[in-house]
Amino acid sequence: MQNPHAESKSLESPIQFIKGIGPRRAGVLSEHGIRTVRDLLYYFPYGYIDMQSVEQIGNLKGVADSGKWITAIGKIHRVDLVGRPPRQRVILMLSDETGMVPLIFFRSVNYFKKAFAVGESIAVSGKVTRFRGRTQFIHPSIDRISVGEEETDSKEFINTRGIIPKYGSSGDLKDVNLHVKGLRRIMRGTLDEFCDALEDPLPEELKSRLNLLGLQDAISQIHFPDSEKMLDQARNRLKFDELFSLQLLLALRRQSVREERNGIVFDVHSTFARKLVDSLPFDLTRAQKKVIKDITDDMKSAKPMNRLLQGDVGSGKTIVALIAMLIAVENGYQAAFMAPTEILAEQHYHTFATLLKDLPVNIRLIIGGQGSKLREDILDDVSRGSSSIIVGTHALIQEGVSYANLGLTVIDEQHRFGVAQRLALREKAIGNKEPSLFPHMLVMTATPIPRTLSLTLYGDLDVSIIDELPSDRKPIQSVLFTESQKSSLYRFIRTQASEGRQAYVVYPLIEESEKLDLKAATESYELLRKDIFPDLQVGLLHGRMSGNEKESVMARFNAGEINILVATTVIEVGIDVSNATVMVIQHAERFGLSQLHQLRGRVGRGSQQSYCLLVVPDWLGRQVKGSKTMFMYQDEELEKQKAVRRISTMLSTSDGFKIAEIDLDLRGPGEFFGTRQSGIPELQIANLITDGEVLTLARREAFEIIRLDPHLRSPVHQPLRKYFTQRWMHALALIQVG
Ligand code: ADP
Ligand code: MG
């Protein structure tokens, strides 16, 4: 078949048209997100091997056992198969005019004995070792070099000499012979053919002012660097690109917020709020007071509040939100509070009802599964304005729910919602008495991220942080248990139960098979109930139960009637039962770090000493205990090493900031923030935490460009506009929503 793209050299051509990639390889690559030539060029090495030093064979003695990668170039002099299995090995003698060195191969003997012909020129790289006085290479990397050429073209040295790229190659890639070397070869070919088709999005002026490498050079050097210096420059340029377009995105978002309407001006001297605070059995922390001040300053200004409230689990965000809601209510407006799960919405509803029982405030709950009669009644209430605080799940933004006069929206655990949902709730104010005024918006999250970072990520939001926990809290003790220590685990739970404390036992939810999880949780429930703790009350809670069933189990746990609650991750966010002091996390290795931290945050909410027991397989227990692991994530070991690091982190700290940083590092920002949720695309090469300098620079430049050319209409910005829209179509759609 003729290649229809050969002429145009389009970077959007399917990879299948690249030399060396047929339909099968293309299929596997596309599963790794590599579909077009551009995707392939942007598949960057995860590391490099430095093989810059080429030595003549006669000089190898001098560098033997130095631990350095050395390259030697020569001709194959002999090929020998020696010894018998399993000791069999192939010895290739490599020679140049200064001497001879053996290359030893223990593995793939059948391949190596036939792979190279006597007289063939090759370059080899590896560590030179000494054995019985002789220097040798064991399993070096090899490149074939065209025979008879004196000045060899450097492009032939793709596996040896220079700085060699390492590409991630998982099992399925290897199945189609795309291991590291195959990938290198294909990458070299693709660069040669397509690199000059890359269009540089950055204006010349900016590049020369910031001393940035051109895009073609950067892409070419990131794969096959000429020197460490060039590699640095290439990295720097590509990081800049990523962060710069991210900042452009934020600059555009910020601008669209600016063009919006005024906010409602509230009188923030609320007697309701005062009464609530006076009735609390505790004093607000200094940090809580500080963020309440931020919030009331917003609510009394004519600018609609757009504030992110960050605070670690248990820092007391709910009460802060409630105070803001009472202000809205006393000003004759409604406040809507949206939570990610039904259980959480119900819990908040009950908390609010209890706290406000002496105030003339009508609270309603809107969740799925309410009977039609009840639902009708509630919706009627809400639309007539006879209820003033409305708590619910995303049911709050469904069609058919209309508000009389919405003045404040609060979103709890905002990372569970999308930008679009956040905005949809605000749009519900459309029926307000003064629909031209925007309601205020408070979004809350327990994911603590560094301030500069959150400013960057939530460019259009102001940020307040609750940076202290109530003073009555004792740090939670985190303890590791392995599967084979089950009986001491049970003993521990029993001791706590006998002191009147309660425990959660949580099972992970694996998305592919909800049924299996349910089975694990259900079986464990039966085991604990019948065999282990027949004398105690054991309860079960999972996502498949109806709203009523869930509610009644939670109510019984809350009332202390259930000692041990076996649950799937439905309890992950926000649940607040202060007498629960034990959190057992089964298969802790399967949870993400932030999730583990959230789960741990379910205990330690009162003044009792609390415990988080992490149950892991025996192998992991051993690794965590003896861990001096270097955390170099590679190939198959990758997932295991990450699990070890997650568990070690949980055991060593309860600092939410630290945990979030490590989690961010482990998962990358896309997954961490939820690409879908935040509208933040996956960053490939830049690191939001360690590349602060490039980030700041990119932010300054991007905001300046948008200030001068708000819609990127200037001719010099056309390549930029094109690059930007191509890359972030999806994120742009979100701006349009806003
Ligand atoms: P989160 O920030 O995780 O949402 P919550 O708002 O659920 O935390 O608060 C956790 C618990 O701490 C609740 O039981 C709440 O009543 C209590 N709490 C809130 N503020 C204080 C405080 N200043 N002192 C003591 N306890 C507090
Ligand atoms: Mg909460």
Side-chain angles (χ1 to χ4, degrees), residues 71 137 153 158 243 304 332 338 354 424 440 501 528 559 617:
T71 297
F137 282 99
D153 181 353
I158 55 179
L243 296 171
M338 186 157 77
T354 314
H440 297 281
R501 304 281 96 77
L528 295 181

Side-chain angles (χ1 to χ4, degrees), residues 678-690:
S678 59
I680 305 273
E682 192 78 52
L683 296 179
Q684 247 189 308
I685 183 164
N687 181 318
L688 286 171
I689 289 178
T690 53

